[in-house]
Amino acid sequence: MSIVFSKENPLFQGWGRPLRLESNIAGLELVSGEVPDGINGCWFRAGPDWQYPSGRDDDIFIDGEGMIHRFNFENGAVSYRSRWVRTARFEAQEKAGKALFGRYRNRYTNDASVANISMGTGNTNAIFHAGKLLALKEDDLPYEIDPETLETIGKYGHRGAVKSVCMSAHPKVDTVEDKLLTYAYQAKGDATKDIVYYEFDSDGTLGSEIWFEMPFPGMVHDFAITPSYAIFPIFPLIADLERIKSGGDYYAYYPDEQMHVAIAPRNGAAKDVKWFKGPAWTAGHMLNAFEEDGRVCLDLCLYDGSCFTFLKTDKGEPTTFCPPILSRLSFDMKQQDDTFDRRPIMPVPCEMPRTDDRYQGYPLQHGFMIVYRAQDGTSALGKVDMSTGEMKTWSPGPRSSIHEPQFVPRAPDAPEGDGWLLVIVNRLDDNHSDLAIVDATDIEAGPVALLRLPVRVRSTFHGTWVPADTLETGHHAMKRTA
Ligand code: V55
Ligand code: FE
């Protein structure tokens, strides 16, 4: 059987070339600087790769099989390991020696032999809670991964407590209270309107859940929390079963629909959910939310149209590129009507916003993100002052791009933003990646350490830092100082 990836699809060209490699590199080469003493633990990330070519030209980058990556920091040395997430889908294809699954989330394009196998890839995020490392994709339940070997243990439904068929890839792990705050959307299956919000205790026991319905089966890729509320932005990227059954795209962009924001009191019920509506804006990723004078503020990378140019409109027309602008939406929880305010925080387009996650839900001073330098695929690390919008950057050099940055606190009780940023740098012309460690309090100074991988780290989506003692005890023990 011949393995041929589409030459028509730019997805498989250049840096996107499938790598299909499980790595085990003990001791990364130090190019410059020194790995700081205080960084001990593991950085886990998830990303897509392609087990086999589907033979189609409509594959999209969010649909590759999951690869879990780990950088292990120990006594100033860093090792790297990557392993496939051995999902049911992966194993079925491995057995057949070829792709059996068709286009993104469209089960009607799958081989008949896998009609009852879920399409989850585990390619989007890796989180650690209650002693378990989980690989996530929003259309399936988590896969539990052995944090030591990165072998896949199996699908994980919180000991049967989870009634949704899937779980978001963007949970919030409260590393101070050691809780997992998460949700599922289209929670009863493809194109269903159900959302469920879950809170899990420090031992992984389900504490509370709130079920409610969306106005349409929209995309809710990420959400936000504050001490009192869970905030769900529901965008007019809508799944339509008729379109899906006819072999079309899972999602389309509906410019005549509205975005909706559902704000649920965390200790409340479905009847307490407050709804807001706005234009047909979209977003993938939230930076943070917080409460202020009876309002809820939500900071996110907002697009004035579709956030995915590979999607068409509901009428089958192409969607046009519009830049993601870090914006603040503000919701008056006492007001009677369903409107909200919007203002930009920073004018430079950015994505994959991250924070010092100990302070998720509280007003933040610092945001970290990828800023785009040009249309040639290069990018830089950005840091924004959330109150002034002032941006600082570190550029990794020519023909280079970065993955989503990861903040590591200098100590469990360090002030907000005091720590390091871990950044994977793609050397676009050199067929390898570097790992940069940047002091988060002075990113313009450049990396305090730069390490070199002998291989590419194919682009990853999201990940998590797990301190060594948390890996050992299974519990998060961070502190908030204010
Ligand atoms: C997104 C990403 C996904 C996905 C659906 O960024 C939405 C939004 C990485 O996979 O499956
Ligand atoms: Fe995401």
Side-chain angles (χ1 to χ4, degrees), residues 48 61-63 104-105 121 123-125 137-139 169-170 185 219 221-222 251 283-285 307-308 310 351-352 461-462:
F61 73 101
I62 60 178
D63 196 31
Y104 175 70
R105 285 195 71 166
T121 56
N123 75 8
T124 313
N125 202 353
K137 179 75 178 182
E138 63 187 17
D139 66 346
H170 279 282
Y185 79 99
M219 188 188 281
H221 178 64
D222 192 0
Y251 286 112
H285 298 115
C307 58
F308 290 126
F310 56 74
E351 252 294 0
M352 308 305 247
F461 292 117
H462 307 290

mmCIF file of all heavy atoms in Angstrom, residues 48 61-63 104-105 121 123-125 137-139 169-170 185 219 221-222 251 283-285 307-308 310 351-352 461-462, ligand 1:
data_model
loop_
_atom_site.group_PDB
_atom_site.id
_atom_site.type_symbol
_atom_site.label_atom_id
_atom_site.label_comp_id
_atom_site.label_asym_id
_atom_site.label_seq_id
_atom_site.Cartn_x
_atom_site.Cartn_y
_atom_site.Cartn_z
ATOM 1 N N PRO A 48 -1.277 17.928 16.589
ATOM 2 C CA PRO A 48 -1.694 16.951 15.592
ATOM 3 C C PRO A 48 -0.532 16.476 14.724
ATOM 4 O O PRO A 48 0.427 17.208 14.496
ATOM 5 C CB PRO A 48 -2.674 17.763 14.732
ATOM 6 C CG PRO A 48 -2.065 19.148 14.743
ATOM 7 C CD PRO A 48 -1.336 19.304 16.055
ATOM 8 N N PHE A 61 -6.028 21.349 9.527
ATOM 9 C CA PHE A 61 -4.939 21.155 10.498
ATOM 10 C C PHE A 61 -5.420 20.752 11.878
ATOM 11 O O PHE A 61 -4.661 20.155 12.639
ATOM 12 C CB PHE A 61 -4.048 22.399 10.577
ATOM 13 C CG PHE A 61 -4.680 23.585 11.281
ATOM 14 C CD1 PHE A 61 -4.354 23.896 12.604
ATOM 15 C CD2 PHE A 61 -5.587 24.388 10.622
ATOM 16 C CE1 PHE A 61 -4.926 24.981 13.248
ATOM 17 C CE2 PHE A 61 -6.176 25.477 11.260
ATOM 18 C CZ PHE A 61 -5.848 25.772 12.576
ATOM 19 N N ILE A 62 -6.677 21.030 12.214
ATOM 20 C CA ILE A 62 -7.127 20.668 13.567
ATOM 21 C C ILE A 62 -7.540 19.195 13.656
ATOM 22 O O ILE A 62 -7.970 18.742 14.688
ATOM 23 C CB ILE A 62 -8.273 21.589 14.052
ATOM 24 C CG1 ILE A 62 -9.494 21.513 13.137
ATOM 25 C CG2 ILE A 62 -7.788 23.020 14.177
ATOM 26 C CD1 ILE A 62 -10.662 22.373 13.632
ATOM 27 N N ASP A 63 -7.379 18.443 12.569
ATOM 28 C CA ASP A 63 -7.866 17.062 12.532
ATOM 29 C C ASP A 63 -6.794 15.975 12.463
ATOM 30 O O ASP A 63 -7.084 14.851 12.096
ATOM 31 C CB ASP A 63 -8.834 16.887 11.352
ATOM 32 C CG ASP A 63 -9.649 15.610 11.492
ATOM 33 O OD1 ASP A 63 -9.922 15.210 12.634
ATOM 34 O OD2 ASP A 63 -10.009 15.007 10.461
ATOM 35 N N TYR A 104 -12.867 16.081 8.808
ATOM 36 C CA TYR A 104 -12.998 16.516 10.189
ATOM 37 C C TYR A 104 -14.412 16.318 10.765
ATOM 38 O O TYR A 104 -15.375 16.898 10.258
ATOM 39 C CB TYR A 104 -12.605 17.997 10.278
ATOM 40 C CG TYR A 104 -12.813 18.630 11.641
ATOM 41 C CD1 TYR A 104 -12.013 18.274 12.725
ATOM 42 C CD2 TYR A 104 -13.800 19.583 11.837
ATOM 43 C CE1 TYR A 104 -12.205 18.863 13.954
ATOM 44 C CE2 TYR A 104 -13.993 20.180 13.065
ATOM 45 C CZ TYR A 104 -13.196 19.817 14.126
ATOM 46 O OH TYR A 104 -13.387 20.396 15.351
ATOM 47 N N ARG A 105 -14.530 15.483 11.746
ATOM 48 C CA ARG A 105 -15.738 15.241 12.532
ATOM 49 C C ARG A 105 -16.927 14.760 11.710
ATOM 50 O O ARG A 105 -18.059 14.745 12.205
ATOM 51 C CB ARG A 105 -16.143 16.501 13.316
ATOM 52 C CG ARG A 105 -15.244 16.749 14.513
ATOM 53 C CD ARG A 105 -15.825 17.746 15.471
ATOM 54 N NE ARG A 105 -16.978 17.212 16.200
ATOM 55 C CZ ARG A 105 -17.500 17.770 17.275
ATOM 56 N NH1 ARG A 105 -16.993 18.886 17.756
ATOM 57 N NH2 ARG A 105 -18.532 17.239 17.880
ATOM 58 N N THR A 121 -9.289 12.489 18.627
ATOM 59 C CA THR A 121 -7.868 12.341 18.314
ATOM 60 C C THR A 121 -6.957 12.631 19.503
ATOM 61 O O THR A 121 -5.772 12.314 19.461
ATOM 62 C CB THR A 121 -7.469 13.318 17.191
ATOM 63 O OG1 THR A 121 -7.816 14.648 17.616
ATOM 64 C CG2 THR A 121 -8.178 12.998 15.890
ATOM 65 N N ASN A 123 -5.820 15.502 20.249
ATOM 66 C CA ASN A 123 -4.738 16.310 19.668
ATOM 67 C C ASN A 123 -4.653 17.749 20.176
ATOM 68 O O ASN A 123 -3.825 18.517 19.696
ATOM 69 C CB ASN A 123 -4.836 16.305 18.134
ATOM 70 C CG ASN A 123 -5.956 17.197 17.590
ATOM 71 O OD1 ASN A 123 -6.588 17.944 18.330
ATOM 72 N ND2 ASN A 123 -6.195 17.116 16.295
ATOM 73 N N THR A 124 -5.510 18.145 21.138
ATOM 74 C CA THR A 124 -5.668 19.580 21.390
ATOM 75 C C THR A 124 -5.001 20.097 22.661
ATOM 76 O O THR A 124 -4.470 21.201 22.674
ATOM 77 C CB THR A 124 -7.163 19.950 21.410
ATOM 78 O OG1 THR A 124 -7.809 19.360 20.277
ATOM 79 C CG2 THR A 124 -7.361 21.445 21.369
ATOM 80 N N ASN A 125 -5.057 19.336 23.736
ATOM 81 C CA ASN A 125 -4.515 19.862 24.989
ATOM 82 C C ASN A 125 -4.127 18.695 25.887
ATOM 83 O O ASN A 125 -4.611 17.575 25.709
ATOM 84 C CB ASN A 125 -5.575 20.740 25.688
ATOM 85 C CG ASN A 125 -4.974 21.737 26.676
ATOM 86 O OD1 ASN A 125 -3.766 21.709 26.967
ATOM 87 N ND2 ASN A 125 -5.802 22.620 27.208
ATOM 88 N N LYS A 137 -9.553 16.195 23.296
ATOM 89 C CA LYS A 137 -10.139 16.702 22.053
ATOM 90 C C LYS A 137 -11.615 16.923 22.348
ATOM 91 O O LYS A 137 -12.248 16.079 22.985
ATOM 92 C CB LYS A 137 -9.978 15.688 20.920
ATOM 93 C CG LYS A 137 -10.572 16.125 19.585
ATOM 94 C CD LYS A 137 -9.714 17.170 18.910
ATOM 95 C CE LYS A 137 -10.265 17.579 17.557
ATOM 96 N NZ LYS A 137 -9.379 18.573 16.907
ATOM 97 N N GLU A 138 -12.159 18.025 21.884
ATOM 98 C CA GLU A 138 -13.480 18.436 22.360
ATOM 99 C C GLU A 138 -14.642 17.558 21.911
ATOM 100 O O GLU A 138 -15.740 17.691 22.425
ATOM 101 C CB GLU A 138 -13.743 19.891 21.966
ATOM 102 C CG GLU A 138 -13.792 20.128 20.471
ATOM 103 C CD GLU A 138 -13.875 21.617 20.134
ATOM 104 O OE1 GLU A 138 -13.593 22.464 20.983
ATOM 105 O OE2 GLU A 138 -14.249 21.916 18.990
ATOM 106 N N ASP A 139 -14.418 16.646 20.944
ATOM 107 C CA ASP A 139 -15.527 15.796 20.493
ATOM 108 C C ASP A 139 -15.500 14.408 21.106
ATOM 109 O O ASP A 139 -16.214 13.515 20.658
ATOM 110 C CB ASP A 139 -15.549 15.701 18.967
ATOM 111 C CG ASP A 139 -14.322 14.985 18.414
ATOM 112 O OD1 ASP A 139 -13.341 14.806 19.159
ATOM 113 O OD2 ASP A 139 -14.354 14.602 17.227
ATOM 114 N N ALA A 169 -11.651 20.619 25.356
ATOM 115 C CA ALA A 169 -10.187 20.605 25.400
ATOM 116 C C ALA A 169 -9.640 21.826 26.144
ATOM 117 O O ALA A 169 -8.431 22.003 26.220
ATOM 118 C CB ALA A 169 -9.620 20.552 23.982
ATOM 119 N N HIS A 170 -10.534 22.694 26.657
ATOM 120 C CA HIS A 170 -10.080 23.898 27.365
ATOM 121 C C HIS A 170 -10.633 24.012 28.780
ATOM 122 O O HIS A 170 -11.296 24.986 29.124
ATOM 123 C CB HIS A 170 -10.423 25.154 26.563
ATOM 124 C CG HIS A 170 -9.450 25.412 25.473
ATOM 125 N ND1 HIS A 170 -8.212 25.972 25.696
ATOM 126 C CD2 HIS A 170 -9.507 25.177 24.147
ATOM 127 C CE1 HIS A 170 -7.553 26.074 24.563
ATOM 128 N NE2 HIS A 170 -8.315 25.596 23.598
ATOM 129 N N TYR A 185 -19.647 20.561 25.319
ATOM 130 C CA TYR A 185 -20.683 21.170 24.474
ATOM 131 C C TYR A 185 -20.968 20.233 23.316
ATOM 132 O O TYR A 185 -20.137 19.400 22.972
ATOM 133 C CB TYR A 185 -20.291 22.569 24.020
ATOM 134 C CG TYR A 185 -19.317 22.664 22.874
ATOM 135 C CD1 TYR A 185 -19.764 22.903 21.588
ATOM 136 C CD2 TYR A 185 -17.949 22.523 23.081
ATOM 137 C CE1 TYR A 185 -18.884 23.008 20.518
ATOM 138 C CE2 TYR A 185 -17.066 22.623 22.026
ATOM 139 C CZ TYR A 185 -17.532 22.862 20.745
ATOM 140 O OH TYR A 185 -16.659 22.955 19.704
ATOM 141 N N MET A 219 -20.127 26.519 18.055
ATOM 142 C CA MET A 219 -18.807 26.151 18.562
ATOM 143 C C MET A 219 -18.522 26.896 19.866
ATOM 144 O O MET A 219 -18.716 28.108 19.950
ATOM 145 C CB MET A 219 -17.706 26.461 17.541
ATOM 146 C CG MET A 219 -16.341 25.897 17.968
ATOM 147 S SD MET A 219 -14.955 26.428 16.934
ATOM 148 C CE MET A 219 -15.147 25.360 15.529
ATOM 149 N N HIS A 221 -15.365 26.499 21.765
ATOM 150 C CA HIS A 221 -14.069 25.829 21.881
ATOM 151 C C HIS A 221 -13.398 26.075 23.235
ATOM 152 O O HIS A 221 -12.698 25.211 23.748
ATOM 153 C CB HIS A 221 -13.161 26.299 20.747
ATOM 154 C CG HIS A 221 -11.789 25.722 20.793
ATOM 155 N ND1 HIS A 221 -11.544 24.369 20.659
ATOM 156 C CD2 HIS A 221 -10.572 26.301 20.992
ATOM 157 C CE1 HIS A 221 -10.244 24.151 20.761
ATOM 158 N NE2 HIS A 221 -9.634 25.304 20.972
ATOM 159 N N ASP A 222 -13.629 27.251 23.817
ATOM 160 C CA ASP A 222 -12.951 27.615 25.073
ATOM 161 C C ASP A 222 -13.986 28.318 25.945
ATOM 162 O O ASP A 222 -15.030 28.767 25.455
ATOM 163 C CB ASP A 222 -11.776 28.547 24.750
ATOM 164 C CG ASP A 222 -10.817 28.775 25.925
ATOM 165 O OD1 ASP A 222 -11.038 28.211 27.019
ATOM 166 O OD2 ASP A 222 -9.838 29.538 25.737
ATOM 167 N N TYR A 251 -18.704 22.292 10.483
ATOM 168 C CA TYR A 251 -19.122 23.645 10.863
ATOM 169 C C TYR A 251 -19.208 24.552 9.635
ATOM 170 O O TYR A 251 -18.429 24.409 8.692
ATOM 171 C CB TYR A 251 -18.109 24.288 11.818
ATOM 172 C CG TYR A 251 -18.141 23.747 13.227
ATOM 173 C CD1 TYR A 251 -17.076 22.997 13.728
ATOM 174 C CD2 TYR A 251 -19.220 24.001 14.073
ATOM 175 C CE1 TYR A 251 -17.097 22.510 15.035
ATOM 176 C CE2 TYR A 251 -19.244 23.516 15.376
ATOM 177 C CZ TYR A 251 -18.182 22.776 15.849
ATOM 178 O OH TYR A 251 -18.211 22.302 17.132
ATOM 179 N N ALA A 283 -14.450 33.623 18.118
ATOM 180 C CA ALA A 283 -13.146 33.517 18.767
ATOM 181 C C ALA A 283 -12.846 32.050 19.008
ATOM 182 O O ALA A 283 -13.766 31.229 19.123
ATOM 183 C CB ALA A 283 -13.120 34.276 20.091
ATOM 184 N N GLY A 284 -11.563 31.732 19.045
ATOM 185 C CA GLY A 284 -11.155 30.420 19.510
ATOM 186 C C GLY A 284 -10.847 30.480 20.989
ATOM 187 O O GLY A 284 -11.358 29.679 21.771
ATOM 188 N N HIS A 285 -10.040 31.483 21.381
ATOM 189 C CA HIS A 285 -9.379 31.391 22.684
ATOM 190 C C HIS A 285 -9.582 32.592 23.604
ATOM 191 O O HIS A 285 -9.499 33.741 23.181
ATOM 192 C CB HIS A 285 -7.894 31.136 22.452
ATOM 193 C CG HIS A 285 -7.672 29.841 21.743
ATOM 194 N ND1 HIS A 285 -7.148 29.754 20.482
ATOM 195 C CD2 HIS A 285 -7.970 28.570 22.117
ATOM 196 C CE1 HIS A 285 -7.112 28.488 20.110
ATOM 197 N NE2 HIS A 285 -7.603 27.751 21.085
ATOM 198 N N CYS A 307 -13.302 32.848 12.509
ATOM 199 C CA CYS A 307 -11.922 32.667 12.962
ATOM 200 C C CYS A 307 -11.201 31.593 12.144
ATOM 201 O O CYS A 307 -10.002 31.406 12.285
ATOM 202 C CB CYS A 307 -11.867 32.355 14.451
ATOM 203 S SG CYS A 307 -12.776 30.892 14.954
ATOM 204 N N PHE A 308 -11.934 30.872 11.316
ATOM 205 C CA PHE A 308 -11.314 29.834 10.482
ATOM 206 C C PHE A 308 -11.559 30.129 9.016
ATOM 207 O O PHE A 308 -12.685 30.042 8.534
ATOM 208 C CB PHE A 308 -11.896 28.457 10.801
ATOM 209 C CG PHE A 308 -11.505 27.918 12.138
ATOM 210 C CD1 PHE A 308 -12.476 27.493 13.040
ATOM 211 C CD2 PHE A 308 -10.176 27.808 12.505
ATOM 212 C CE1 PHE A 308 -12.115 26.974 14.270
ATOM 213 C CE2 PHE A 308 -9.809 27.285 13.728
ATOM 214 C CZ PHE A 308 -10.782 26.870 14.616
ATOM 215 N N PHE A 310 -10.748 28.263 6.628
ATOM 216 C CA PHE A 310 -11.070 27.045 5.879
ATOM 217 C C PHE A 310 -12.565 26.721 5.943
ATOM 218 O O PHE A 310 -13.022 25.787 5.291
ATOM 219 C CB PHE A 310 -10.219 25.846 6.346
ATOM 220 C CG PHE A 310 -10.308 25.537 7.805
ATOM 221 C CD1 PHE A 310 -11.439 24.933 8.348
ATOM 222 C CD2 PHE A 310 -9.242 25.832 8.647
ATOM 223 C CE1 PHE A 310 -11.513 24.636 9.693
ATOM 224 C CE2 PHE A 310 -9.307 25.542 9.998
ATOM 225 C CZ PHE A 310 -10.442 24.947 10.524
ATOM 226 N N GLU A 351 -2.730 35.531 18.965
ATOM 227 C CA GLU A 351 -3.515 34.323 19.259
ATOM 228 C C GLU A 351 -2.808 33.515 20.348
ATOM 229 O O GLU A 351 -1.721 33.849 20.773
ATOM 230 C CB GLU A 351 -3.696 33.468 17.995
ATOM 231 C CG GLU A 351 -5.128 33.482 17.420
ATOM 232 C CD GLU A 351 -6.177 32.809 18.342
ATOM 233 O OE1 GLU A 351 -5.854 32.320 19.440
ATOM 234 O OE2 GLU A 351 -7.354 32.783 17.941
ATOM 235 N N MET A 352 -3.463 32.455 20.727
ATOM 236 C CA MET A 352 -2.990 31.538 21.759
ATOM 237 C C MET A 352 -2.605 32.302 23.038
ATOM 238 O O MET A 352 -1.507 32.165 23.564
ATOM 239 C CB MET A 352 -1.799 30.705 21.263
ATOM 240 C CG MET A 352 -2.073 29.997 19.934
ATOM 241 S SD MET A 352 -3.561 28.978 19.998
ATOM 242 C CE MET A 352 -2.854 27.346 19.843
ATOM 243 N N PHE A 461 -0.852 22.586 19.792
ATOM 244 C CA PHE A 461 -1.905 23.544 20.139
ATOM 245 C C PHE A 461 -1.713 24.089 21.553
ATOM 246 O O PHE A 461 -1.388 25.243 21.744
ATOM 247 C CB PHE A 461 -3.292 22.892 20.004
ATOM 248 C CG PHE A 461 -3.667 22.563 18.596
ATOM 249 C CD1 PHE A 461 -3.879 21.250 18.202
ATOM 250 C CD2 PHE A 461 -3.807 23.566 17.638
ATOM 251 C CE1 PHE A 461 -4.240 20.946 16.898
ATOM 252 C CE2 PHE A 461 -4.160 23.263 16.332
ATOM 253 C CZ PHE A 461 -4.381 21.952 15.965
ATOM 254 N N HIS A 462 -1.916 23.216 22.554
ATOM 255 C CA HIS A 462 -1.948 23.697 23.931
ATOM 256 C C HIS A 462 -1.247 22.714 24.866
ATOM 257 O O HIS A 462 -1.047 21.559 24.510
ATOM 258 C CB HIS A 462 -3.389 23.865 24.408
ATOM 259 C CG HIS A 462 -4.239 24.699 23.507
ATOM 260 N ND1 HIS A 462 -4.050 26.063 23.375
ATOM 261 C CD2 HIS A 462 -5.261 24.381 22.685
ATOM 262 C CE1 HIS A 462 -4.948 26.543 22.524
ATOM 263 N NE2 HIS A 462 -5.689 25.545 22.081
HETATM 264 C C1 V55 B 1 -10.604 24.561 17.577
HETATM 265 C C2 V55 B 1 -9.541 23.687 17.623
HETATM 266 C C3 V55 B 1 -9.758 22.327 17.442
HETATM 267 C C4 V55 B 1 -11.036 21.866 17.223
HETATM 268 C C5 V55 B 1 -12.095 22.736 17.180
HETATM 269 O O1 V55 B 1 -9.332 26.548 17.821
HETATM 270 C C6 V55 B 1 -11.876 24.084 17.363
HETATM 271 C C7 V55 B 1 -10.417 26.013 17.764
HETATM 272 C C8 V55 B 1 -7.502 21.810 17.826
HETATM 273 O O2 V55 B 1 -8.761 21.404 17.452
HETATM 274 O O3 V55 B 1 -11.220 20.532 16.998
#
